[in-house]
């Protein structure tokens, strides 16, 4: 593949993303649903690609040579190949930047401030495994013949999102479940769409029944028109980041990108060391190799934490700016979502449509039920404002949770935002794209669904007990 095609692939991806933003700006319905422009752009790429436009041309059996050129969609095959590889690369950047530039508080401080949300978030995440695996054992495998590894897809797609789903593509291939990538990406899309829809429904329910503390009138559930369109008012615009180095010495953005490279490099070294240890110890004895199926991105997050601890102690010039790092993360996430959706295989989903629908329904029902049942009993104060953020994250992504918290508490009168940020420190390293998320499919592959179901049930019950009996009594 020529370098020019790689460059052209990024240019076209940018144009698709721009069209996605334009479509959102002129479409009030998409604005009210707060659909990200990257998701709209991804669907636009999917429609114009071989999966939709290409199949329509083939089904029409039209012999005209001009129309026949569209049998593979409007994008060259090499361009689609480049796009298909991007999610697996950019997920490493996203996870490496999660904690870079963020002041890491002590464990005690995190526990005191965000402990209730840690318990609630962990309950929801482990419950997605429990009910997903249960459904796989009782329904999906015996009636539809789908691999029991599908039981892990709710957590990977809903809690992990598009990034985690795409990042696990190589793992799904290695364990002989390639359709898992497209199914989890489809679930991530369903989760992202319904996170906001059900989030707004829950907000209206909470205000009308007096369960919210900040909002008292359903008419307050709104954002300004410019915010719905995704445009920041001119007078409210903030700097995207601080210039920490002189551009003539090194461009600040280049320096931050270099920091990301170092974090990913540290993660790669850790992963190679762990795989070598496994090869020389328990792997050689038992013949079971788990770490060889682990992707790089959760270790890139660990590398970012290690680098942040190092810079916090030894970088006396404080050259790392959190806002610039967030811009790199946001760019990577947009590229990942557009490319992942644009190259989604609809054949894999249509071939497993019934299991896909069942998993979607089970995931949505569990998340809504857990929010209504556990959040008010686990979070002592401002339970609705704090819990709605975890609900949004558990179905879509962190941005969904932040959006719902902003609607529920527009002036940050509650500790929701601070608690949510602290919660991530004790949440994302494990689930939601963390180490267990990466290991869940290899665990089911090597040991079967029953032992993993027992393990996840025990962990879920532990967090339920911690939330109800410890934090719930405060």
């Amino acid at each position: 593949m020529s370098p020019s095609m790689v460059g052209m692939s990024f240019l076209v991806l940018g144009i698709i993303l721009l069209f996605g933003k334009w479509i959102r700006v002129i479409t009030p319905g998409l604005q009210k649903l707060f659909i990200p422009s990257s998701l709209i752009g991804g669907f636009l790429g999917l429609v114009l690609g071989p999966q939709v436009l290409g199949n329509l041309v083939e089904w029409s059996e039209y012999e005209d040579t001009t129309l026949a050129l569209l049998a593979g969609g409007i994008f060259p095959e090499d361009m689609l190949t480049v796009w298909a590889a991007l999610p697996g690369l950019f997920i490493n950047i996203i996870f490496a930047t999660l904690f870079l530039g963020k002041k890491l508080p002590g464990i005690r401080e995190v526990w005191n401030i965000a402990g209730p949300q840690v318990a609630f978030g962990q309950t929801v995440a482990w419950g997605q495994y429990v009910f997903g695996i249960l459904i796989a054992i009782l329904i999906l495998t015996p009636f539809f013949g789908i691999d029991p590894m599908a039981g892990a897809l709710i957590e990977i797609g809903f809690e992990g999102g598009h990034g985690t789903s795409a990042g696990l593509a190589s793992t799904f291939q290695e364990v002989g479940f390639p359709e898992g990538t497209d199914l989890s990406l489809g679930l991530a899309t369903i989760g992202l769409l319904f996170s906001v829809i059900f989030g707004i429904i829950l907000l209206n329910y909470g205000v009308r029944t007096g369960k919210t503390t900040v909002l008292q009138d359903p008419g307050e559930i709104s954002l300004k028109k410019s915010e719905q369109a995704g445009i920041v008012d001119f007078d409210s615009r903030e700097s995207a980041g601080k210039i920490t180095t002189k551009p003539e010495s090194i461009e600040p953005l280049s320096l931050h990108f270099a920091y990301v490279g170092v974090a990913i490099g540290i993660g790669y070294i850790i992963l190679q060391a762990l795989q070598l240890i496994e090869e020389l110890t328990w792997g050689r004895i038992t013949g079971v190799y788990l770490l060889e199926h682990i992707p790089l991105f959760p270790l890139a997050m660990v590398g970012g934490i290690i680098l942040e601890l190092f810079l916090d102690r030894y970088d006396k010039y404080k050259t790392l700016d959190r806002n610039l790092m967030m811009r790199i993360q946001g760019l990577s996430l947009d590229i990942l979502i557009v490319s992942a959706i644009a190259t989604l295989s609809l054949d894999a989903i249509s071939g497993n449509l019934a299991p896909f629908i069942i998993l979607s329904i089970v995931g949505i029902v569990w998340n809504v039920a857990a929010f209504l049942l556990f959040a008010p009993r686990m979070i002592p104060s401002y339970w609705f404002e704090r819990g709605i953020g975890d609900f949004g994250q558990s179905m879509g992504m962190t941005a969904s949770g932040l959006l719902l918290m902003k609607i529920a508490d527009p002036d940050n009168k509650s500790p929701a935002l601070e608690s949510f940020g602290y919660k991530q420190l004790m949440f994302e390293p494990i689930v939601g794209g963390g180490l267990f998320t990466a290991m869940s499919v290899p665990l089911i592959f090597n040991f079967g669904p029953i032992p993993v179901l027992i393990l996840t049930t025990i962990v879920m019950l532990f967090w339920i007990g911690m939330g109800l009996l410890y934090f719930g009594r405060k």
Side-chain angles (χ1 to χ4, degrees), residues 94-104 301-302 304-309 320 322 325 329 421-429:
I94 293 168
F95 271 75
T97 58
L98 283 177
F99 299 107
L100 280 175
K102 181 184 289 187
K103 181 69 176 177
L104 299 176
M301 174 179 60
V302 176
I305 294 173
I306 293 173
L307 179 59
E308 172 58 32
L309 292 172
L320 200 159
R322 177 62 183 170
M325 200 57 70
Q329 182 187 114
Y422 277 179
K423 183 210 76 170
Q424 305 301 86
L425 297 173
M426 298 184 68
F427 183 82
E428 290 188 340

Side-chain angles (χ1 to χ4, degrees), residues 428-448:
E428 290 188 340
I430 305 167
V431 288
L435 292 174
F436 189 85
T437 302
M439 293 184 65
S440 58
V441 172
L443 282 171
I444 298 175
F445 174 73
N446 282 281
F447 300 107

Side-chain angles (χ1 to χ4, degrees), residues 128-166:
Q128 289 178 356
Y129 281 120
V130 170
F131 291 103
I133 297 174
L134 209 61
I135 289 297
I137 294 173
L138 298 178
I139 299 176
L140 302 186
T141 301
F143 292 100
F144 299 100
I146 196 170
D147 196 289
M149 286 184 282
L153 295 182
I154 296 179
E155 200 277 342
I156 292 172
F158 277 24
E159 198 81 60
H162 290 89
T164 302
S165 302

